[in-house]
Amino acid sequence: METITLRNGVEMPKLGYGVFQIAKDETAGCVADAIETGYRHIDTAQSYFNESEVGIGIKASGIDRGELFVTTKVWLEHYGYEQTLRSVEVSLKKLKTDYLDLLLLHQPYSDVHGSWRALEKLYRDGVVRAIGVSNFTPYRLADLSAFNEIAPMVNQVETNPFNQQIDAHAYMTEHGVVQEAWAPFGEGKSGMFTNPTLVAIGERHGKSAAQVILRWLMQRDIVALPKSTHKKRMEQNIDIFDFALSDADMAEIAALDTKTSLFFDHSSPEAVERLARLVEERKGRE
Ligand SMILES: NC(=O)c1ccc[n+]([C@@H]2O[C@H](COP(=O)([O-])OP(=O)(O)OC[C@H]3O[C@@H](n4cnc5c(N)ncnc54)[C@H](OP(=O)(O)O)[C@@H]3O)[C@@H](O)[C@H]2O)c1
């Protein structure tokens, strides 16, 4: 598995396995399947409500903890210095581990700075090997970096052929922030898996559109976190290290960019209101 080196020297597998929207009763089996398939990087979050099941899947796989790269994310309900520290203790228990490889702030709202200082403490105490954020635009990254001691090492943002994040990627690269792609397939929206350009490029290489997308992310030095509950697709999604896209292929994919989210714009007031409602709806849920 190819890796990417974070600013602090930590190596992160470039391809990970995402567990968003996997039902609790399926998660442990899926995680064990993913590890058996060869994935060594698991991406979960407090707000996915499946950290316990991820922990069960990891134990069931029999793999040494040291061989895995495990990420979770602090949910808005737990923002603020003290609450963030407490919530991470709970996450560690659920995940059945005494450290995390990467801890992210899930959203750029509410008491981001208070929570970030908690992440800095966890990093200094050796509880987490790396810290970062998710859904931050460059200006929010700049703010967090300018008014704290440690700058985010990672930013996980929606990235796929229809929303390529070209300008944000340039900013992150310049500032030593590794980009992770959530929804690398855009959850299949807008015909992603049957897009004629992606399918035609795939045919030239004997690969699927999904594999072309993941390969395109690898070649842009962006970490990809595809999710699938199907073992055959997990196998397909990791089988991307035996071919390379040409400059012409990369240019064709670049032309698919709409610079628009397939989900919602995190910098809009509506997004803040939507997430605030979600926090209320999910309060206390385990
Ligand atoms: N930080 C954030 O705010 C945030 C937000 C969203 C997601 N994420 C992370 O990013 C991960 C991936 O994003 P996502 O789960 O939203 O979407 P995604 O990975 O873009 O798409 C997942 C969808 O694609 C299907 N699929 C997977 N591989 C396929 C293949 N080879 N051929 C055809 N269909 C395939 C899956 O179906 P099956 O499962 O039925 O195979 C599922 O419906 C998440 O699991 C999570 O870890 C983070």
Side-chain angles (χ1 to χ4, degrees):
M1 170 70 66
E2 286 179 15
T3 60
I4 198 159
T5 307
L6 304 184
R7 196 189 313 113
N8 65 348
V10 164
E11 299 242 334
M12 168 160 67
K14 265 175 101 174
L15 189 71
Y17 177 69
V19 299
F20 179 42
Q21 297 179 125
I22 303 185
K24 262 186 191 295
D25 59 354
E26 275 190 87
T27 303
C30 284
V31 167
D33 278 352
I35 293 171
E36 192 183 88
T37 305
Y39 292 83
R40 292 293 178 266
H41 173 171
I42 312 287
D43 182 84
T44 185
Q46 292 172 350
S47 71
Y48 301 171
F49 303 106
N50 58 13
E51 287 175 307
S52 295
E53 292 72 19
V54 169
I56 294 168
I58 291 172
K59 290 279 175 212
S61 76
I63 197 158
D64 278 350
R65 172 69 184 86
E67 285 189 43
L68 279 185
F69 190 98
V70 179
T71 302
T72 197
K73 313 180 193 84
V74 178
W75 181 233
L76 285 167
E77 184 183 347
H78 307 129
Y79 273 25
Y81 184 81
E82 294 295 339
Q83 280 163 293
T84 293
L85 291 178
R86 278 200 298 276
S87 79
V88 174
E89 270 179 42
V90 175
S91 287
L92 289 169
K93 279 204 188 92
K94 286 183 173 173
L95 287 161
K96 291 163 257 306
T97 181
D98 52 9
Y99 72 96
L100 294 164
D101 296 281
L102 178 63
L103 180 62
L104 305 178
L105 293 186
H106 205 148
Q107 300 291 349
Y109 316 132
S110 186
D111 188 3
V112 163
H113 287 267
S115 286
W116 184 253
R117 284 169 196 139
L119 265 57
E120 288 182 328
K121 173 177 167 49
L122 291 164
Y123 178 68
R124 287 200 191 92
D125 290 351
V127 180
V128 300
R129 297 176 66 225
I131 53 177
V133 295
S134 179
N135 299 308
F136 275 52
T137 56
Y139 117 81
R140 300 292 280 136
L141 277 175
D143 172 48
L144 204 59
S145 307
F147 294 100
N148 292 285
E149 285 175 17
I150 305 174
M153 297 158 191
V154 169
N155 186 20
Q156 185 179 122
V157 290
E158 178 196 342
T159 314
N160 50 59
F162 301 152
N163 186 21
Q164 302 191 7
Q165 304 277 11
I166 301 295
D167 295 343
H169 184 64
Y171 177 88
M172 287 186 246
T173 304
E174 191 188 333
H175 291 83
V177 180
V178 167
Q179 181 173 343
E180 290 188 316
W182 67 252
F185 307 138
E187 296 180 3
K189 288 180 195 291
S190 295
M192 186 81 77
F193 295 117
T194 51
N195 177 272
T197 301
L198 298 172
V199 170
I201 294 171
E203 279 167 2
R204 293 206 286 274
H205 294 279
K207 297 285 179 182
S208 67
Q211 290 170 312
V212 168
I213 294 167
L214 297 173
R215 184 70 215 174
W216 165 74
L217 289 165
M218 297 298 103
Q219 290 183 210
R220 288 182 65 203
D221 274 336
I222 296 175
V223 174
L225 304 166
K227 169 260 176 187
S228 177
T229 52
H230 296 93
K231 196 150 193 282
K232 283 270 170 252
R233 287 177 177 168
M234 293 177 196
E235 287 164 5
Q236 186 191 127
N237 294 345
I238 205 172
D239 182 19
I240 55 164
F241 297 101
D242 62 349
F243 78 112
L245 298 172
S246 66
D247 290 347
D249 296 332
M250 294 295 280
E252 277 188 58
I253 300 171
L256 300 178
D257 196 9
T258 67
K259 297 181 187 288
T260 308
S261 171
L262 288 166
F263 300 87
F264 59 91
D265 173 7
H266 275 79
S267 25
S268 67
E270 293 73 25
V272 184
E273 288 158 12
R274 175 183 171 154
L275 270 288
R277 279 198 302 277
L278 204 62
V279 171
E280 277 308 309
E281 282 163 26
R282 292 170 159 190
K283 248 188 188 140
R285 187 172 150 192
E286 283 294 312

